[in-house]
Amino acid sequence: MTYTFDFSFLAEYWPELLSGLMQTAQLSILSIIFGFLLGTVLAVGRTADSKAVRRICAIYVEAIRNTPLLVQMFMIYFGLASIGFKLSAEFCAVLAIVINVSSYTCEIMRAGIESIKKGQLEASDCLAMSWWQRLFLIVLPPATERVYPALVSQFILIMLATSLVSQISAEELTSTAVRIDSMTFRSFEIYTVIAVIYIALAFVFRIGFWALSQLVFPRLRRLGTPL
Amino acid sequence: MLTSFQIQALLVAALWTAGLSLIAFSLGGAVGLLIAVMRVSANRVLRAISFTYIQIVQGTPLLVQMMLAFFGLSILGFSIEPFTAASAAMVIYSSAYFGEIWRGGILAVPKTQWEAAECLALHPFQRFWLIIVPQGLRISTPPTVGFMVQIVKNTSLASVIGVAELTYTSKLINNSTFQPFTVFSLVAVLYFCMCYPLAWWSRKLEDKLNVAHR
């Protein structure tokens, strides 16, 4: 092995990597927020009384979960452009990831919603709560808290999956790395560097989600035990 | 519409996707079992090594792993056949997830099973491999099959280092036909046909194993 590792390009290119990191974080957070919202709506749809609504949500989820994100991204980016919607690569990237993450969130949230005891629903009916009140006050808070760890794992996976965005020429960490690679030809070094950055980012996200859980689940904060 | 030659190319590419998935299942499964055993081992060093391995692999995107395998293998002096690099990346990637899934399964085996095996004077080796591991693997069969869906889908990332699998071929065909909806829908359907049976099987297995808890 006569290869000499050379990380000196970092001195010149670190600001680009930093902005790539910021773009990845931004992209991930945007996709996670909208993906969670859409996924929750879908989960409510999957547990709805209407059979047709349940069916539609199930088909959507199965179709998305059984096809690769990369193909979905190509379909949105190249497909929408071919029928006249000229959208930016960044927008298509967020759209594709939101659609993808929503189907996974839907399955996780459905498990949470189904874990709510029937007695709780009956009690809310006895208190004359409306459907909305029941959903937002009785069902969703404990459902979310119960599946929160699974959601966090899924969100971290989505953060890693934002690297695929580089394939439709949107700007983020991996596409920055590809560009630096094509200028410096230090392929192995640059990908090692961004691998380390991704590990660090995953760590930061984990801490962030832990802090968020302390913030939004007062019961968890006070008792410290899983629901 | 697509010509029959293009459709044929897509079907051949689907075979490459299936082949890459099979390599990831089998070799990744073998390495994954090793990782799972290391994760539950009594030896602290083995536990630390396997833990670090899983953290690194699960903390980096598969896309980056593909790149690292592709450029890294060539640095080490191996031939840089893209398919080899993609297989290596897929094996590393899937072994970490299999390891974590099976660790969960092994830990889920009730402690009384260990004690009963000890009462039967089984050697620690027999205790682990004949009593605990088979039960642990059985418990973790549904998530294992579920993860196979992820593997099939994630082979699409091999396209970035130039493996002529389904996604790569579809991109080529799209570049020459400019019919993204037709091409990518067809590809999505092909992926769906490979993934959905696995997802369905995983759900069936889950139902079957959950009979006791219903």
Side-chain angles (χ1 to χ4, degrees):
Chain A
M1 196 172 123
T2 51
Y3 190 85
T4 37
F5 291 93
D6 179 8
F7 286 94
S8 58
F9 64 88
L10 283 177
E12 190 182 342
Y13 289 104
W14 71 266
E16 290 196 29
L17 283 174
L18 192 67
S19 79
L21 170 67
M22 284 310 168
Q23 281 156 336
T24 288
Q26 211 174 9
L27 192 65
S28 312
I29 292 169
L30 262 182
S31 318
I32 287 169
I33 292 172
F34 287 107
F36 174 72
L37 293 178
L38 182 57
T40 308
V41 172
L42 285 167
V44 173
R46 277 211 78 170
T47 51
D49 291 329
S50 154
K51 199 173 180 181
V53 173
R54 282 210 306 268
R55 193 35 71 81
I56 292 169
C57 291
I59 290 173
Y60 172 87
V61 168
E62 289 299 339
I64 301 295
R65 292 214 312 169
N66 287 304
T67 48
L69 175 58
L70 197 53
V71 174
Q72 291 161 9
M73 229 172 239
F74 286 156
M75 205 186 263
I76 288 175
Y77 184 56
F78 298 118
L80 289 183
S82 78
I83 55 169
F85 290 100
K86 293 274 184 291
L87 301 167
S88 76
E90 277 76 14
F91 181 82
C92 290
V94 174
L95 186 62
I97 299 176
V98 163
I99 288 176
N100 190 273
V101 73
S102 71
S103 68
Y104 287 93
T105 307
C106 167
E107 284 300 276
I108 296 172
M109 284 301 285
R110 181 173 69 115
I113 290 174
E114 281 172 353
S115 76
I116 303 296
K117 294 271 180 298
K118 213 159 176 234
Q120 301 245 319
L121 303 180
E122 286 161 0
S124 70
D125 275 346
C126 292
L127 292 169
M129 282 187 166
S130 69
W131 185 84
W132 291 99
Q133 282 177 317
R134 189 173 86 177
L135 185 66
F136 283 106
L137 298 177
I138 307 299
V139 175
L140 287 184
T144 314
E145 187 174 341
R146 206 165 272 157
V147 296
Y148 192 73
L151 282 176
V152 170
S153 305
Q154 190 58 49
F155 291 159
I156 303 270
L157 285 179
I158 279 303
M159 187 276 286
L160 298 179
T162 57
S163 61
L164 298 199
V165 164
S166 59
Q167 294 304 306
I168 57 169
S169 70
E171 276 297 310
E172 46 72 68
L173 191 52
T174 306
S175 55
T176 308
V178 172
R179 206 178 53 241
I180 295 177
D181 175 25
S182 63
M183 288 187 286
T184 62
F185 297 103
R186 312 301 324 180
S187 315
F188 190 73
E189 287 90 334
I190 183 64
Y191 291 116
T192 312
V193 168
I194 64 163
V196 172
I197 296 180
Y198 273 111
I199 292 176
L201 192 59
F203 187 67
V204 170
F205 266 56
R206 262 182 215 290
I207 293 178
F209 280 119
W210 175 83
L212 185 67
S213 77
Q214 298 296 307
L215 203 68
V216 295
F217 303 127
R219 195 206 60 83
L220 182 75
R221 184 173 62 237
R222 264 185 249 112
L223 300 176
T225 51
L227 192 66
Chain B
M1 277 315 285
L2 300 177
T3 63
S4 67
F5 175 75
Q6 284 162 338
I7 291 173
Q8 198 186 339
L10 281 178
L11 291 177
V12 171
L15 284 181
W16 282 100
T17 291
L20 195 55
S21 310
L22 282 178
I23 289 175
F25 291 163
S26 43
L27 293 183
V31 182
L33 187 60
L34 185 72
I35 297 292
V37 172
M38 283 168 76
R39 276 291 268 142
V40 296
S41 131
N43 185 325
R44 185 184 280 185
V45 178
L46 288 182
R47 275 209 310 271
I49 292 173
S50 53
F51 177 77
T52 316
Y53 177 81
I54 290 178
Q55 288 301 311
I56 291 176
V57 176
Q58 294 196 345
T60 49
L62 179 57
L63 185 67
V64 175
Q65 290 164 16
M66 288 275 177
M67 299 288 201
L68 282 175
F70 187 55
F71 296 113
L73 281 179
S74 63
I75 286 176
L76 290 174
F78 291 104
S79 70
I80 41 163
E81 197 68 37
F83 189 78
T84 323
S87 307
M90 286 306 296
V91 167
I92 290 171
Y93 168 81
S94 51
S95 67
Y97 283 86
F98 277 138
E100 200 63 356
I101 292 171
W102 291 338
R103 178 188 77 107
I106 291 171
L107 289 182
V109 176
K111 203 153 183 246
T112 46
Q113 294 286 328
W114 289 88
E115 290 163 1
E118 210 173 337
C119 291
L120 290 170
L122 290 179
H123 187 263
F125 188 80
Q126 292 173 317
R127 217 187 297 163
F128 187 68
W129 289 103
L130 298 181
I131 307 294
I132 305 302
V133 168
Q135 295 188 69
L137 289 186
R138 190 179 142 82
I139 294 172
S140 39
T141 306
T144 303
V145 178
F147 181 66
M148 285 177 177
V149 177
Q150 302 291 328
I151 291 183
V152 174
K153 287 191 301 175
N154 283 333
T155 55
S156 65
L157 297 195
S159 64
V160 299
I161 53 172
V163 178
E165 45 70 74
L166 202 41
T167 307
Y168 184 85
T169 310
S170 70
K171 231 160 57 175
L172 285 187
I173 295 179
N174 176 48
N175 287 346
S176 60
T177 60
F178 301 110
Q179 294 176 313
F181 269 124
T182 322
V183 177
F184 292 124
S185 309
L186 185 59
V187 167
V189 168
L190 285 173
Y191 273 111
F192 189 86
C193 292
M194 284 189 260
C195 293
Y196 189 70
L198 286 172
W200 181 82
W201 186 31
S202 163
R203 217 166 23 241
K204 276 273 147 321
L205 284 170
E206 212 160 322
D207 288 346
K208 212 162 115 189
L209 283 169
N210 263 337
V211 167
H213 305 291
R214 254 202 308 249

